[in-house]
Amino acid sequence: MSTETLGEKLRQIREQNELPLRKVSALLDIDVAILSKMERGERKLSKEVVLKLADIYKCNPEELLVLFLSEKIMYEIQDEDLGEKALKVAEKRVKYLKANKTK
Amino acid sequence: MSTETLGEKLRQIREQNELPLRKVSALLDIDVAILSKMERGERKLSKEVVLKLADIYKCNPEELLVLFLSEKIMYEIQDEDLGEKALKVAEKRVKYLKANKTK
DNA sequence: ACTATTTTTGACACTTATTGTCAATAGAAT
DNA sequence: ATTCTATTGACAATAAGTGTCAAAAATAGT
């Protein structure tokens, strides 16, 4: 399985596209330093930045967003013994919400 | 399925034990106002408070902790369409981490 | 209805996290 | 050596979370 972080993946994609941080950060309208830190996991990414990056790199946003969200989830349960149980409960609730969305 | 929040559950348990906020907050060493807000979801609960409450009410901490964690998870994925996928990815990662815990 | 008790509400100060800006440093490529 | 690229850390600005308190509202007891 992939154990790559979102930041690592984004760096990889950027390098494949042969774009320097300078150019990407200009397109994103954020400081180079911040983007550098984001790719190395020193700063958090926002959903907006992730979507913009998917656009810039012309890649599927879904994969990136799923990774983005799952990292936020992982952060919450860190090394909790009950993390897995909590995930299952959350899954049930999401399904429940989805089923009753329109009601 | 239970759609009860942690706060609601804690209030229910407190009322079953016929304890006023005043007494419980004294045992917790926090302000009455804060506890009131925690039960109504206006303030976040901390893991420590949850554990202390399980102790005070002499109830199983696991159930409360799982609810506590799952609410934090739910907060992260809110009404994201990809929430369910993200949960599944997180689950895989947790399992992966658990399997490689001792390595 | 009056009183005492419990609970809720909001204002406020205080602390902690997060975020953006910038300049200096380090590294890589030509 | 110079230029381009990337990293680092210090700093200020902002936002988010927390604790404290007192007044108001709701509830219960007499």
Side-chain angles (χ1 to χ4, degrees), chain B residues 4-99:
Chain B
E4 203 180 30
T5 68
L6 175 58
E8 285 165 354
K9 171 162 252 158
L10 287 170
R11 166 149 298 185
Q12 206 177 292
I13 295 173
R14 180 173 62 79
E15 287 173 346
Q16 278 167 7
N17 290 40
E18 292 182 39
L19 287 166
L21 285 176
R22 180 178 52 80
K23 286 196 182 176
V24 177
S25 71
L27 290 170
L28 287 172
D29 194 33
I30 64 173
D31 194 290
V32 182
I34 295 178
L35 186 56
S36 165
K37 286 170 185 167
M38 283 174 170
E39 287 187 346
R40 285 171 303 110
E42 216 178 299
R43 288 262 177 140
K44 287 180 186 169
L45 285 138
S46 70
K47 188 183 173 184
E48 290 63 41
V49 166
V50 173
L51 290 175
K52 279 192 196 171
L53 286 171
D55 194 47
I56 290 169
Y57 301 143
K58 290 173 183 42
C59 65
N60 181 15
E62 176 163 319
E63 194 191 353
L64 295 179
L65 269 184
V66 168
L67 194 47
F68 168 70
L69 290 172
S70 69
E71 278 189 11
K72 296 215 292 180
I73 293 169
M74 291 300 284
Y75 180 79
E76 292 303 323
I77 59 179
Q78 302 237 48
D79 18 46
E80 291 284 350
D81 295 333
L82 298 171
E84 217 172 325
K85 284 194 182 183
L87 284 170
K88 286 200 198 308
V89 170
E91 237 180 290
K92 279 182 197 155
R93 296 211 163 191
V94 167
K95 281 177 184 159
Y96 177 82
L97 286 177
K98 198 185 274 185

Side-chain angles (χ1 to χ4, degrees), chain A residues 39-50:
Chain A
E39 286 186 348
R40 285 171 302 108
E42 218 178 294
R43 287 264 177 136
K44 287 180 186 168
L45 286 137
S46 68
K47 187 183 172 186
E48 288 65 37
V49 167
V50 173

Side-chain angles (χ1 to χ4, degrees), chain A residues 17-68:
Chain A
N17 290 38
E18 293 183 39
L19 287 166
L21 284 176
R22 179 179 52 80
K23 286 195 180 176
V24 177
S25 71
L27 290 169
L28 287 172
D29 194 34
I30 64 172
D31 194 290
V32 182
I34 295 178
L35 185 57
S36 167
K37 286 169 186 168
M38 283 173 169
E39 286 186 348
R40 285 171 302 108
E42 218 178 294
R43 287 264 177 136
K44 287 180 186 168
L45 286 137
S46 68
K47 187 183 172 186
E48 288 65 37
V49 167
V50 173
L51 289 175
K52 280 191 195 170
L53 285 171
D55 193 47
I56 290 169
Y57 301 143
K58 289 171 184 43
C59 65
N60 180 15
E62 174 163 321
E63 193 190 352
L64 295 180
L65 269 184
V66 168
L67 194 48
F68 168 70

